[in-house]
Amino acid sequence: MKKNNFLLRAGKIVICICLCTATLWKGDTMSFFTDKDEKINRFTTGNLTVGLKEPEWDPKKDNDGKNLYPGCTLYKNPTVKNITDSSYGEEPCYVRMKVEILDKQGEPISDMEKLNLIYKTIYYDPEFKGSYTNTGESIKLVQNRKPGYSLKEMTSYSMINPLWEKDTYRSGKASLVFNYKGKDGTGILNNGEESMLFTTIVIPTDWDNRQIQLVDGYRLDISVQAVQAQGITAPKEAWAVMDQLTGGADEKDI
């Protein structure tokens, strides 16, 4: 790796939405089960430090993901925060997240029909009140609401927070890269600031058994990268620096 004066931080959170279907029918209701594995790493060199957390998802305590079904709604809020110790000075940074969509074997999903269904399970709810450290709730997309939400009801919701934008140049079909742009469009995440990418997983009420089977066992693997803003004049330059330091939009251990 070439010597570079920029500091890069990377973290990873593995979010398994393993939709392991079971043919259990009670009337018109089908139950299916999920599992989840989570790993959070933080890599720090120098002063810049970023963290990636998802406080709403706890399969051990709350059995999240253990029994999903058509109409199931769960809060899930991958959130990045600039947790640099301000006593060492301000360390604003540029941040991007990568969402990889994988099958049960951990391989990227290539079937576009499957991917298009999975895209329709991920939503951002602007009324969600959770944060980097705290759980929350919403008055719009309500967790465990009965009977849940149909695809038509979800048309007014976007996949991601509007403070982020998809990097079409670096994204693939099963590897989505999102750049933080912030409220002012500068893309700067200052000390103590945080931002979540999405908030809610919704399994539509109008999915049939075939659609459930198609997405059986999918997994979201989310990573974050940050580079110090000093010496960088625009977000486009920051993404190029990250590519240089990591060999692309892939999360690397530093």
Side-chain angles (χ1 to χ4, degrees):
M1 182 183 293
K2 294 182 180 179
K3 183 177 180 181
N4 197 300
N5 292 326
F6 293 109
L7 299 179
L8 180 74
R9 306 292 173 267
K12 189 174 185 180
I13 182 169
V14 179
I15 305 172
C16 294
I17 318 293
C18 300
L19 306 183
C20 303
T21 61
T23 55
L24 300 179
W25 291 82
K26 296 180 180 179
D28 294 328
T29 302
M30 183 182 72
S31 299
F32 55 99
F33 306 92
T34 72
D35 196 4
K36 172 185 176 291
D37 179 32
E38 180 178 280
K39 182 179 181 183
I40 301 176
N41 295 323
R42 187 192 308 157
F43 304 92
T44 306
T45 305
N47 294 331
L48 174 60
T49 309
V50 294
L52 177 63
K53 288 187 178 182
E54 188 189 39
E56 279 295 345
W57 193 264
D58 191 340
K60 294 181 179 179
K61 179 181 178 181
D62 300 326
N63 287 323
D64 285 335
K66 298 295 184 179
N67 186 23
L68 297 185
Y69 50 87
C72 180
T73 303
L74 293 174
Y75 298 141
K76 180 180 286 295
N77 64 320
T79 305
V80 62
K81 184 175 183 178
N82 185 339
I83 55 176
T84 304
D85 187 345
S86 59
S87 64
Y88 294 102
E90 295 298 311
E91 196 68 79
C93 62
Y94 293 96
V95 180
R96 70 184 178 193
M97 284 199 209
K98 182 179 180 181
V99 179
E100 295 181 277
I101 305 174
L102 311 175
D103 61 20
K104 288 184 287 187
Q105 288 71 44
E107 297 296 324
I109 295 175
S110 57
D111 187 305
M112 281 310 303
E113 185 177 6
K114 293 182 181 181
L115 287 172
N116 285 328
L117 288 173
I118 294 169
Y119 297 157
K120 294 174 183 178
T121 67
I122 305 169
Y123 295 95
Y124 174 73
D125 178 0
E127 298 297 327
F128 177 71
K129 303 303 181 183
S131 69
Y132 176 78
T133 55
N134 298 319
T135 59
E137 57 185 17
S138 175
I139 60 173
K140 293 292 186 179
L141 297 181
V142 179
Q143 182 166 260
N144 297 324
R145 174 182 181 262
K146 307 294 183 184
Y149 301 91
S150 67
L151 286 172
K152 183 177 181 180
E153 291 176 288
M154 298 308 301
T155 55
S156 62
Y157 293 90
S158 61
M159 181 182 190
I160 63 167
N161 185 340
L163 297 184
W164 296 75
E165 60 183 356
K166 183 179 179 181
D167 189 325
T168 55
Y169 176 75
R170 294 173 175 84
S171 292
K173 295 177 181 178
S175 180
L176 309 178
V177 178
F178 301 98
N179 301 324
Y180 178 69
K181 62 181 182 179
K183 294 180 180 179
D184 57 6
T186 63
I188 298 292
L189 191 70
N190 291 301
N191 290 51
E193 291 183 339
E194 63 182 70
S195 184
M196 63 185 69
L197 185 61
F198 56 85
T199 64
T200 316
I201 297 294
V202 176
I203 310 300
T205 57
D206 37 10
W207 271 14
D208 58 28
N209 189 48
R210 178 180 173 277
Q211 291 169 313
I212 296 297
Q213 292 289 342
L214 275 175
V215 301
D216 178 31
Y218 87 85
R219 189 178 91 189
L220 302 181
D221 191 336
I222 301 179
S223 59
V224 62
Q225 295 172 332
V227 66
Q228 64 183 47
Q230 286 91 338
I232 299 178
T233 58
K236 184 177 180 179
E237 183 182 348
W239 317 141
V241 169
M242 291 186 192
D243 290 344
Q244 178 186 347
L245 291 172
T246 66
D250 296 319
E251 181 268 348
K252 301 290 184 180
D253 293 1
I254 302 301

